Amino acid sequence: MLIPLNQFEQIIDPTILKRGLSYFRNGHVDEPEEIAPGEYEAMVSGTEQYTVRLTLKNNIVTEHDCDCPYDMGPVCKHIVAVIFALLDDTLHEEKPQKSKRSTKKDSGKPVEKKQTVSQQIDGILKNTSHEALLNFIRESAIKNQNFRNLFLSTFASNSSGISKELIAKQLKTIVKSACGRHGYIEWGNTSKVFRQVNQYIMAAQKQISEHQYDHALLICFAVMEEMTKAIQLADDSDGDIGGCVDLAFDLLADISSQTPPENIRKQLFDYCIFAYNKGIYDGWDWHFGLMGLASDILGNAIEAELLLTCLEKRPLSDFDKSSAEQIRLNIYKKTKSPQEVEKYIEANLSNTEFRKDAIQKAIDNKLLDKAISLAKAGIKQDQKARPGLIYTWYDYLLKVAKLQKETDKIVEYARFLFMNGMYDQKVYYKTLKEAISKSEWKLFVDKLISDLYSRRNFNNSELLIFIFIEEKRLEQQLEYLRFNVSLYMIERFEKELAKDYSGELIELYAEEILNYAKSNTGRSHYVTICKYLRRMKKLGGKQKAEEIVSSLKKQFYNRPALLEELAGV
């Protein structure tokens, strides 16, 4: 989210803005420090201390990051507080010090611009002896475990004493320090684990860029293994710890794509086989992901047979069977003739990806009857066990019908997909509109609406709304809204109805806000109430909104959080 400094108060959620300003006014923000040109860092004291980083370019915040756990919106109150701190000399706040933007003292002499952190560090490094730096690093590494671990992993390529076991031991320490007294990593601590482990991943990334693959492999193997174990001890609902494994796996894929030296290729291949046979990542995508990597980098027929044997040895679920078939196909493409590959695909068309490839190949070769036959066989095969897949096969039938210019089939398949599919409704609707004549279109749409009304479910409701909006049927929109009224639905129709039916929307909002307030308590619900009161005002219902506010204050005088939120409307 880009945040222009001259209008950030207009684009940030009012509640977040208010809380950020409160943090700034109450002195919870340390003075922002310019780390590098345009890059600022500041500590904000909240429930805990949080670090905020902002990047400014042309008076626009182009990047922003806070290590707090807030994930309900693009910007947290800590980021807002730091923005206020950066602009404090433009706010009407009483500040004893002179403006930071002043370039001259009272004497008229120019003031030196404060150096960035990177400039300060560069100056110190330039003027410090080599021996003094060595002593500092040595002493810091001995005293500070986090610094020691980061130093060892970053410069592992310069040491022969680094092993996967040593890195794993360091990672275990990170996990242990994040665990509570019951040996479990609570939700708020997973981000801390990610930040510390990510330093190792960044060190591995740097080593890969310098072609120091051997030590990068050790880091990736250790991170994947230890973080997979850690997931079992954590509330990883934000995916922080699993994200570490993903990043390490991505680095292994990066190494495999760079045609690494033979010893590195062999080391990576052997690890993939080892991890699969041991079931280290069993139940996770990385289990077959590593086998996929192995199939990408296999070097000879012996390795190919080893891979195939591994896939045959373990019992597989239906989902795993599909993954294994994909890997086998990759191996066959590298080691067998095109005829053998084709024969394998034809024998395993129950695999969705194989059937897709076969249909597309038939279409590309203009074998349209074969494509139709494969698609219809897919519908028959999946309609009971995997009904969600039949839309994929109908989509292929629609593609063939378009190529054959068969209007009746185009309408049949596009209508089916529009009415039943879970995606691309706009595309299918457009296809129908292009295939049906203008004179018949209104009746066709009326029939669509009638059929959707007759079989009510959530998806059909979404389709009805889509049609009303697409066809600009305002009266039907309003009628539908009145029968399915909720704050969410009013907002959904607001854009289309605001011009002609603002009064009706205001009345609907007023009624639903009062109903919502009766049924819901808690600050998040009060924030929702205030959001819709502001929408009422934008529609021209300022007086009505004020009446609602007054009514809510009287009716719920014993809800201090609600009264606090209403004060900002």
Side-chain angles (χ1 to χ4, degrees):
M1 177 181 179
L2 298 178
I3 308 175
L5 293 182
N6 62 354
Q7 51 181 293
F8 83 100
E9 293 179 75
Q10 285 75 50
I11 64 175
I12 291 174
D13 180 88
T15 303
I16 298 297
L17 193 73
K18 178 181 175 183
R19 292 172 185 169
L21 179 58
S22 175
Y23 263 59
F24 167 68
R25 282 177 171 166
N26 291 322
H28 292 304
V29 186
D30 290 350
E31 183 177 355
E33 201 164 19
E34 192 172 14
I35 303 197
E39 295 181 18
Y40 295 87
E41 182 179 277
M43 300 297 294
V44 182
S45 301
T47 312
E48 299 181 29
Q49 267 212 328
Y50 299 113
T51 302
V52 172
R53 281 177 173 259
L54 301 176
T55 300
L56 279 179
K57 188 174 182 180
N58 298 326
N59 284 323
I60 296 174
V61 178
T62 58
E63 293 181 37
H64 46 81
D65 178 67
C66 178
D67 58 5
C68 76
Y70 177 78
D71 62 356
M72 299 298 289
V75 177
C76 68
K77 59 189 175 185
H78 309 111
I79 290 172
V80 173
V82 174
I83 293 175
F84 276 118
L86 285 172
L87 294 175
D88 64 346
D89 57 337
T90 67
L91 295 173
H92 299 299
E93 302 284 332
E94 291 184 13
K95 305 293 277 185
Q97 68 268 30
K98 294 184 181 294
S99 169
K100 294 178 184 176
R101 296 183 182 177
S102 173
T103 57
K104 292 187 178 182
K105 291 184 178 177
D106 293 340
S107 61
K109 293 180 181 179
V111 176
E112 264 188 55
K113 184 182 177 184
K114 185 178 177 181
Q115 287 186 319
T116 65
V117 172
S118 61
Q119 288 170 333
Q120 294 174 51
I121 291 171
D122 287 343
I124 292 171
L125 290 174
K126 185 178 179 181
N127 297 304
T128 305
S129 71
H130 181 70
E131 187 62 30
L133 288 173
L134 286 179
N135 288 334
F136 173 78
I137 292 170
R138 188 180 297 110
E139 290 173 11
S140 298
I142 291 170
K143 293 177 182 177
N144 187 314
Q145 187 182 60
N146 287 337
F147 179 82
R148 177 169 67 247
N149 292 344
L150 180 60
F151 177 79
L152 289 172
S153 60
T154 301
F155 297 101
S157 57
N158 299 323
S159 168
S160 58
I162 296 297
S163 65
K164 186 180 86 172
E165 290 70 28
L166 177 59
I167 299 167
K169 184 179 178 182
Q170 296 168 0
L171 295 170
K172 283 184 174 81
T173 302
I174 292 172
V175 172
K176 187 176 180 180
S177 67
C179 287
R181 58 183 175 177
H182 300 297
Y184 189 76
I185 306 173
E186 300 292 345
W187 171 73
N189 284 336
T190 57
S191 60
K192 295 178 182 177
V193 173
F194 174 82
R195 287 195 297 277
Q196 292 183 63
V197 175
N198 192 45
Q199 293 179 332
Y200 288 80
I201 293 168
M202 290 171 68
Q205 194 169 27
K206 182 175 184 294
Q207 290 164 9
I208 291 170
S209 69
E210 296 171 354
H211 305 295
Q212 300 287 347
Y213 298 118
D214 47 355
H215 291 94
L217 285 179
L218 296 180
I219 293 175
C220 291
F221 296 160
V223 167
M224 288 187 67
E225 289 184 23
E226 295 309 315
M227 292 304 105
T228 299
K229 294 174 190 174
I231 293 174
Q232 315 301 324
L233 308 170
D235 175 0
D236 195 38
S237 38
D238 281 350
D240 290 318
I241 297 177
C244 292
V245 188
D246 286 333
L247 289 171
F249 178 85
D250 289 344
L251 289 183
L252 293 181
D254 189 25
I255 292 172
S256 72
S257 69
Q258 293 185 23
T259 316
E262 175 58 19
N263 67 312
I264 298 299
R265 184 203 69 80
K266 187 72 168 63
Q267 190 178 348
L268 177 53
F269 181 88
D270 289 345
Y271 179 78
C272 293
I273 297 295
F274 164 77
Y276 183 82
N277 286 336
K278 287 285 186 180
I280 294 174
Y281 307 104
D282 212 351
W284 301 96
D285 290 343
W286 314 303
H287 182 61
F288 281 102
L290 286 171
M291 288 295 275
L293 278 187
S295 71
D296 288 336
I297 61 173
L298 63 86
N300 52 55
I302 294 174
E303 290 182 348
E305 284 303 316
L306 177 60
L307 270 177
L308 291 170
T309 302
C310 288
L311 292 172
E312 292 295 337
K313 280 197 305 187
R314 293 173 63 90
L316 302 173
S317 66
D318 287 343
F319 180 80
D320 289 345
K321 182 182 174 185
S322 177
S323 299
E325 286 170 348
Q326 286 287 105
I327 294 167
R328 284 195 193 94
L329 178 60
N330 197 28
I331 297 168
Y332 287 170
K333 285 180 176 179
K334 292 174 180 292
T335 61
K336 297 185 181 295
S337 68
Q339 292 79 13
E340 288 175 297
V341 171
E342 189 68 26
K343 185 178 178 182
Y344 176 73
I345 292 173
E346 292 289 339
N348 292 278
L349 287 175
S350 58
N351 184 300
T352 301
E353 297 306 315
F354 288 10
R355 187 176 294 276
K356 284 181 184 177
D357 290 344
I359 294 173
Q360 191 57 55
K361 186 176 179 180
I363 291 173
D364 293 342
N365 292 328
K366 295 184 171 50
L367 301 172
L368 300 185
D369 288 340
K370 182 179 180 180
I372 291 171
S373 175
L374 287 167
K376 287 184 175 180
I379 293 169
K380 185 177 180 181
Q381 169 190 284
D382 295 323
Q383 60 187 354
K384 289 185 178 179
R386 297 180 291 181
L389 278 175
I390 67 171
Y391 305 115
T392 299
W393 313 132
Y394 270 104
D395 192 58
Y396 278 114
L397 289 175
L398 176 59
K399 288 178 182 176
V400 174
K402 286 181 176 180
L403 290 171
Q404 293 177 328
K405 298 181 180 179
E406 293 188 7
T407 303
D408 289 346
K409 291 292 183 185
I410 291 171
V411 172
E412 177 188 346
Y413 298 141
R415 190 184 194 281
F416 175 83
L417 288 163
F418 176 76
M419 296 286 281
N420 299 286
M422 302 301 291
Y423 49 82
D424 286 344
Q425 269 85 8
K426 289 183 180 180
V427 174
Y428 300 131
Y429 196 79
K430 182 181 177 184
T431 298
L432 289 168
K433 206 163 191 175
E434 290 170 348
I436 297 168
S437 66
K438 289 183 179 180
S439 61
E440 297 176 322
W441 180 244
K442 184 180 180 303
L443 287 174
F444 182 84
V445 172
D446 288 342
K447 185 67 168 65
L448 277 182
I449 293 172
S450 174
D451 288 350
L452 288 169
Y453 266 122
S454 68
R455 49 175 209 177
R456 285 178 174 272
N457 60 44
F458 177 78
N459 189 49
N460 289 339
S461 297
E462 290 297 301
L463 292 178
L464 280 167
I465 294 168
F466 170 80
I467 293 173
F468 293 150
I469 292 173
E470 193 72 14
E471 298 300 318
K472 295 181 173 56
R473 297 192 175 191
L474 301 184
E475 289 184 5
Q476 283 182 287
Q477 285 185 48
L478 187 59
E479 179 186 7
Y480 183 85
L481 177 57
R482 282 176 171 148
F483 278 98
N484 300 275
V485 68
S486 70
L487 291 173
Y488 165 77
M489 290 297 288
I490 301 169
E491 182 181 358
R492 185 76 188 277
F493 282 109
E494 186 181 306
K495 181 180 177 182
E496 285 73 30
L497 297 178
K499 182 180 177 182
D500 297 309
Y501 297 101
S502 60
E504 286 85 348
L505 292 176
I506 290 167
E507 290 300 323
L508 288 171
Y509 266 137
E511 183 178 349
E512 285 304 303
I513 287 171
L514 290 172
N515 290 335
Y516 188 88
K518 291 175 185 176
S519 306
N520 297 279
T521 59
R523 190 174 291 274
S524 63
H525 293 299
Y526 303 153
V527 168
T528 299
I529 288 168
C530 293
K531 167 188 169 182
Y532 288 111
L533 284 167
R534 293 186 190 98
R535 298 195 79 89
M536 282 181 68
K537 285 186 174 182
K538 287 183 180 179
L539 286 167
K542 182 179 179 181
Q543 183 178 344
K544 189 68 176 178
E546 289 173 351
E547 290 174 9
I548 297 294
V549 169
S550 178
S551 174
L552 291 172
K553 286 179 177 179
K554 289 178 183 177
Q555 191 173 354
F556 303 110
Y557 61 89
N558 57 345
R559 296 185 188 178
L562 174 59
L563 300 179
E564 184 182 327
E565 294 296 334
L566 289 173
V569 175

